[in-house]
Amino acid sequence: MINNPLQLSIAHLNDTHSYLEPLSLPLSMAIGGKTVTPYVSAGGVARIKTKADEYREIAKHKKRDFLFLHAGDCFQGTLFFSLFKGRANAHFLNELGIDAMTVGNHELDIGNEIFAQFSKQVNFPILAGNWDLSSESQSKSPRLSDNEKVFSYDADKQIANCLIKEFQSEKLAIMGLSIDRMADIASPDADTPFVSAVETAQRTVSHLHGMGINKIILLSHLGYEADKELAAEVDGISLIVGGHSHVLQGDYSLLGLKKEDDYGIKVNDTFIVQSGFYGQAIGHCEIDFAADGTVTSFEGSNQLLLGRRLFIDADREEESQSELYNTICDVIDNHPLISVCRKDARMQEILTENYQSKVNNLKKEKVASLSQKLRHVRIPDEYGASEVAPLVAKSFYMSMRKRGFPVQFSIHNAGGVRCSLQPGGITAADIAGKLLPFAIPIGVYFLSGRSLYQTIEGAINNALSNGVDGTGSGSYPYTYGLRYEYNSELPAGKRVVLLQLNVDNDWISIDKTKVYCGTSSSYTMKGKEGYDAIISTVAPSYLSDVTMADAFIESLRSDRYFLNISDSSYSKILTR
């Protein structure tokens, strides 16, 4: 096979997380010896469309071929996902003209089914080179393994199936790799495991070279540090377009944003790019290959996509306000890593007519009213425990009981609740967008009393870093139908000194030899952050299609007494 040089232009996104509308981005700028904090409108699919089309035209003018890539995590994050479960994401990625996407962990927060549906709706390839679909159940519909747009792991050859593009009579391979420990942080179905990313990359590069293909791009959702490690370990990859870590490469320190590595950091002979998060920025590079696959030229940058309006504090004289406004505009307009651009009219029309009205209705729909604030704290303090987290746990219990499961209690991690509830009306948007913003399903499991003791203690040990290297206070367990007392000064394994179950309004001690039925989020059911013992089930667990927000909204609508927290369980730390 005779190889030829190749000149490419590549635009890329990652971790857009359903941010279809622009967001209000706070900046921090030193002007005239003072710090000012203007707010600007950043990102949104309509601005991304404008900029991507501009890059396409530039590439066409320069007679360069063009690719537009997405490095995963387009799911979750806003009401557009809570409402449309991937349909809106598919629509807009199709409209943007994405050429390929890899699988992010949040694509699989709710199992495979919604992503399988998404994969049927998009008109571009999904690159999942270390996702082994070879044993996917025949009973599923739709099946990922039957979808020709899904380029998964070849279990026989132990390599990634790659997208092969031909430009200027030269072949380019694009492979996609995702976090191989996906089951630790998401909910891929058990019959579709992820395998080692590094080993897959090594074998795939060797296979491609054997085919005479020496120009290789990796579309990665491994994380920034993992991308650098892979580039150091695996030769033959020209460019890694990455995601997962939300790194906005480039120097935005003048705007008060974190300064990161320069765009296109190079490790060995591999360039690595990443373009932030929430669709606020788009990355773009021009990369030239010699016939032997060597990169002879690489240039590019991220561009933060801003609107023309900005907002500053109003407690200034009108004249100084105007002067300050103009100074800020000058800084923004002249920043080399900022593009002030208009929204694409057609994209904005699609967003407005098909999706925004339903999101706005959710923002208006009041499902309950509070006469006083309900406070949320992760760990009980001198003012008490969370008043919200036990209600969230209660909603799980009510939801699963309503569906016929014999649940006796529920447990929810404190970090799964994101805010307190303020007095006044509570809308569905407050719950799905603020209180419980991640569309994570709840499930049912059966545990021995002994494992239940271990689960509660392990979660608290982790939250308090008591004898373990804890991951933070978010693991603290709030419950419904259970109550417990924890003594931090006792030896490990004996710190839960009281654990009782509510049976017909009577509190009965948990018997370590008996089996009990509980409900929690799928995140907690994975046994992370001190919940190791919860995976010691004595019967197969069940994962529902009801998300945390679904359960809470359903409970508010169906039970007028739901917000009465007097019947919620308590937790108590005896010493700290």
Side-chain angles (χ1 to χ4, degrees):
M1 178 176 176
I2 300 174
N3 294 107
N4 299 296
L6 177 63
Q7 295 81 41
L8 275 180
S9 291
I10 299 172
H12 58 95
L13 300 168
N14 58 272
D15 300 280
T16 47
H17 286 295
S18 307
Y19 275 79
L20 306 180
E21 295 178 298
L23 55 81
S24 182
L25 176 66
L27 306 179
S28 179
M29 305 165 69
I31 295 178
K34 295 183 178 180
T35 299
V36 295
T37 54
Y39 283 76
V40 292
S41 175
V45 288
R47 287 200 184 105
I48 293 171
K49 174 67 170 172
T50 296
K51 196 64 181 178
D53 285 351
E54 178 186 321
Y55 286 141
R56 279 193 182 91
E57 285 302 310
I58 292 171
K60 183 178 179 181
H61 178 73
K62 292 184 175 181
K63 294 182 170 54
R64 305 179 67 91
D65 288 293
F66 182 79
L67 283 172
F68 194 4
L69 305 174
H70 194 301
D73 270 6
C74 74
F75 277 18
Q76 297 282 21
T78 74
L79 293 171
F80 288 102
F81 184 77
S82 302
L83 269 177
F84 302 109
K85 299 295 190 293
R87 296 191 304 278
N89 301 78
H91 191 167
F92 285 103
L93 291 178
N94 285 340
E95 290 290 333
L96 286 174
I98 297 294
D99 289 294
M101 174 183 162
T102 196
V103 182
N105 50 292
H106 284 292
E107 268 77 79
L108 299 175
D109 279 341
I110 318 178
N112 289 12
E113 184 176 356
I114 289 177
F115 186 69
Q117 293 167 354
F118 168 86
S119 301
K120 298 282 283 186
Q121 294 158 358
V122 297
N123 56 20
F124 51 82
I126 302 292
L127 306 184
N130 62 324
W131 196 5
D132 187 354
L133 305 178
S134 61
S135 298
E136 185 179 29
S137 171
Q138 293 287 338
S139 65
K140 291 181 179 178
S141 179
R143 297 177 77 234
L144 285 156
S145 54
D146 290 341
N147 188 339
E148 293 181 353
K149 289 177 292 193
V150 177
F151 289 65
S152 61
Y153 181 68
D154 186 326
D156 294 329
K157 297 179 181 177
Q158 297 185 314
I159 60 171
N161 283 307
C162 297
L163 176 64
I164 308 297
K165 303 279 285 186
E166 189 162 326
F167 299 117
Q168 304 160 31
S169 301
E170 181 63 14
K171 289 183 178 179
L172 169 81
I174 311 173
M175 85 171 121
L177 295 174
S178 303
I179 298 166
D180 37 30
R181 297 181 63 185
M182 186 70 79
D184 290 346
I185 61 173
S187 301
D189 293 355
D191 58 341
T192 58
F194 284 75
V195 301
S196 169
V198 172
E199 292 177 7
T200 301
Q202 289 171 330
R203 290 191 292 262
T204 304
V205 169
S206 177
H207 176 77
L208 290 169
H209 285 173
M211 294 172 59
I213 299 174
N214 58 18
K215 299 166 183 68
I216 302 170
I217 293 175
L218 168 60
L219 193 52
S220 159
H221 199 83
L222 301 174
Y224 195 56
E225 294 304 317
D227 285 342
K228 290 191 283 188
E229 291 171 7
L230 187 144
E233 193 167 343
V234 181
D235 294 328
I237 298 173
S238 305
L239 174 68
I240 298 177
V241 177
H244 186 58
S245 301
H246 294 197
V247 172
L248 180 61
Q249 287 178 322
D251 186 358
Y252 289 92
S253 56
L254 279 177
L255 307 179
L257 304 180
K258 182 182 178 183
K259 181 180 179 181
E260 299 283 4
D261 291 332
D262 290 341
Y263 181 84
I265 183 175
K266 190 176 182 183
V267 176
N268 290 338
D269 293 322
T270 303
F271 291 90
I272 301 170
V273 297
Q274 194 169 144
S275 62
F277 56 100
Y278 298 168
Q280 298 172 90
I282 185 172
H284 176 254
C285 61
E286 293 183 343
I287 183 168
D288 294 352
F289 301 87
D292 65 0
T294 305
V295 175
T296 56
S297 176
F298 179 90
E299 293 183 358
S301 71
N302 283 317
Q303 290 290 303
L304 191 62
L305 305 178
L306 303 184
R308 296 189 177 280
R309 300 178 64 188
L310 62 88
F311 302 89
I312 54 178
D313 58 79
D315 59 345
R316 297 173 182 263
E317 297 291 335
E318 186 174 338
E319 185 177 336
S320 64
Q321 272 272 25
S322 178
E323 183 179 343
L324 177 61
Y325 184 92
N326 290 333
T327 302
I328 295 171
C329 287
D330 285 343
V331 173
I332 290 174
D333 289 343
N334 292 299
H335 197 294
L337 305 183
I338 290 177
S339 287
V340 178
C341 62
R342 296 182 182 276
K343 298 175 183 176
D344 179 84
R346 182 175 179 276
M347 190 71 100
Q348 187 61 42
E349 182 182 359
I350 294 170
L351 181 63
T352 301
E353 292 185 356
N354 293 277
Y355 301 100
Q356 277 182 327
S357 61
K358 294 177 182 178
V359 168
N360 290 338
N361 288 340
L362 200 65
K363 292 177 180 178
K364 296 174 185 175
E365 180 192 359
K366 189 171 77 169
V367 293
S369 184
L370 279 179
S371 59
Q372 63 185 41
K373 175 181 177 178
L374 292 180
R375 176 173 174 263
H376 176 60
V377 289
R378 290 192 169 191
I379 296 177
D381 56 22
E382 64 269 28
Y383 302 105
S386 173
E387 297 170 309
V388 181
L391 287 172
V392 174
K394 179 181 178 181
S395 74
F396 296 176
Y397 174 90
M398 292 173 62
S399 178
M400 293 297 98
R401 292 282 291 189
K402 180 179 178 179
R403 287 160 176 79
F405 293 98
V407 294
Q408 299 162 284
F409 65 88
S410 58
I411 303 173
H412 188 46
N413 63 307
V417 177
R418 309 306 289 181
C419 63
S420 300
L421 290 174
Q422 302 302 321
I426 302 173
T427 67
D430 291 329
I431 297 163
K434 297 175 183 177
L435 181 71
L436 301 165
F438 288 103
I440 294 174
I442 57 178
V444 174
Y445 50 88
F446 295 85
L447 279 183
S448 70
R450 179 171 287 100
S451 293
L452 191 51
Y453 267 89
Q454 294 168 347
T455 295
I456 296 295
E457 179 174 327
I460 303 175
N461 288 344
N462 181 85
L464 303 181
S465 294
N466 186 12
V468 298
D469 186 11
T471 58
S473 57
S475 67
Y476 189 85
Y478 282 97
T479 62
Y480 181 77
L482 285 178
R483 66 181 185 180
Y484 61 81
E485 293 181 354
Y486 170 96
N487 189 327
S488 62
E489 294 184 348
L490 291 178
K494 298 181 179 180
R495 291 172 181 157
V496 176
V497 295
L498 173 76
L499 183 58
Q500 296 179 320
L501 179 73
N502 191 299
V503 180
D504 297 326
N505 294 318
D506 193 13
W507 289 100
I508 307 298
S509 293
I510 290 292
D511 185 334
K512 292 184 178 181
T513 66
K514 290 186 176 180
V515 174
Y516 300 89
C517 182
T519 176
S520 296
S521 73
S522 65
Y523 182 86
T524 297
M525 287 170 63
K526 288 184 179 303
K528 296 188 287 290
E529 297 193 293
Y531 284 88
D532 313 58
I534 205 169
I535 63 176
S536 302
T537 54
V538 297
S541 299
Y542 167 79
L543 199 61
S544 77
D545 59 359
V546 179
T547 69
M548 299 189 299
D550 290 339
F552 199 80
I553 292 170
E554 179 181 271
S555 297
L556 283 171
R557 286 174 172 160
S558 63
D559 188 347
R560 61 183 296 189
Y561 301 108
F562 173 70
L563 289 176
N564 174 15
I565 62 170
S566 62
D567 65 344
S568 296
S569 309
Y570 75 91
S571 56
K572 186 175 182 182
I573 302 175
L574 298 179
T575 55
R576 286 184 64 182

